[in-house]
Amino acid sequence: MFVDEVDILVEAGTGGAGACSFRREKFVPRGGPDGGDGGNGGSVYAVASPHRNTLIAYRFNREFRAKRGGHGEGSNRTGKSSPDLELEVPVGTLVYEKTADPANDPILIGDLVEAGQRLLLAKGGHGGRGNARFVSSVNRAPRRVEEGTPGETRQLQLHLKLLADVGLVGFPNAGKSTLISRISAAKPKIADYPFTTLVPNLGVVSLSGDRSFVVADVPGLIEGAHEGHGLGDRFLKHLDRTKLLVHLVDVSGATGRDPIEDFEAIRRELSLFSPELGRKPQLVVATKMDTSPDLKMLGRLEAHVTSQGLPFQRISAVAGTGLDELQESMWKYLSDAPPDSALAPLQAVEHDA
Ligand SMILES: Nc1nc2c(ncn2[C@@H]2O[C@H](COP(=O)(O)OP(=O)(O)OP(=O)(O)O)[C@@H](O)[C@H]2O)c(=O)[nH]1
Ligand SMILES: [Mg+2]
């Protein structure tokens, strides 16, 4: 199951108390104070793990508490500090803290974008000082000790937004999963019925010369997705962080629909979901070219797409034609795109397929 939003409670450990103790030795009648400090409570961290791809681990188990620090002991023994508790989350997890007033939006406290990245969620309390620390010239036998300070407690929301460079969009059955399975090691289910893909899949595309990028295959969209039709637009947020959308249009004629209308319907759904997504650069790809599509219709689709300033390519994922060119075009766009301007307009490119 793919879970991309959860609420959790994290509680760090309280610090251990300092000890009140006096040395007792055989021939030392009045030994000095030797109460050790308390140990620190454990903190709670989130750690981005490349081995996780959903937040499902947090669906049922929602409360995470690090252990408290050990109390100090006599003979100046410091209490044991507790280990930190690490919660593994998928790369692409955003952590929000809920505000006391539910009317206010939760506040973003961190975004885990790289494997291994750690984010402090709740800081453990400090151990209190033992009485040995309070010796002074006027008080040689202090009885004073400190309690440990409490660990932090926070109500958090984890949101997963996949990190991919390229997102595949299109109607169900357009061939998105077939394409990702041909250009990456991803092995999503492929079948001749709509809504085969129920959750997003990621695939890494590797090109010659150490070039690589990540592609996301998301469940197909249909007209009215923003109103909940089909699987709705619930997975579209996973395209927010992509730099390029590859928009697949089935031109086999088997759909019984007009490819130009399909193309426009998907564009509308993207814009209705969010204007930013609607403006994201798109590379439009006619799929299933091996089915000898109607060339007139193909010409109309190409003219329609290029008149909007968008590039147009043709592929057959089954026959493997056009795939090298498509991957090179994706790479070219990604490597030309300025690092943080995912919304730069995309120039139409010439092709001779
Ligand atoms: N002839 C032909 N069939 C294709 C091609 N690409 C995909 N198909 C077929 O189209 C059907 C749907 O392919 P999928 O890759 O599952 O389509 P999808 O876009 O992922 O569909 P959803 O997951 O439902 O959104 C399957 O039967 C594929 O074999 C192609 O290039 N040529
Ligand atoms: Mg699919």
Side-chain angles (χ1 to χ4, degrees), residues 10-13 44 120-125 150-154:
V10 292
E11 208 176 282
V44 185
L120 179 64
L121 302 180
K123 181 140 186 54
E152 286 179 325
T153 298
R154 289 169 121 179

Side-chain angles (χ1 to χ4, degrees), residues 171-178 189-197 217 219-220 288 290-291 316-318:
F171 264 81
N173 251 351
K176 301 176 294 296
S177 300
T178 310
K189 186 168 166 194
I190 293 167
D192 190 16
Y193 55 81
F195 303 115
T196 310
T197 302
D217 166 27
K288 311 192 186 180
D290 56 293
T291 57
S316 162
V318 164

Side-chain angles (χ1 to χ4, degrees), residues 289-331:
M289 284 300 292
D290 56 293
T291 57
S292 335
D294 175 354
L295 292 178
K296 256 205 202 138
M297 174 276 299
L298 202 58
R300 278 195 296 119
L301 175 64
E302 174 162 15
H304 181 84
V305 167
T306 52
S307 72
Q308 299 187 20
L310 299 178
F312 182 78
Q313 297 192 11
R314 306 160 191 221
I315 63 164
S316 162
V318 164
T321 50
L323 298 184
D324 289 345
E325 294 86 332
L326 176 59
Q327 294 173 79
E328 289 297 335
S329 301
M330 294 181 193
W331 172 260

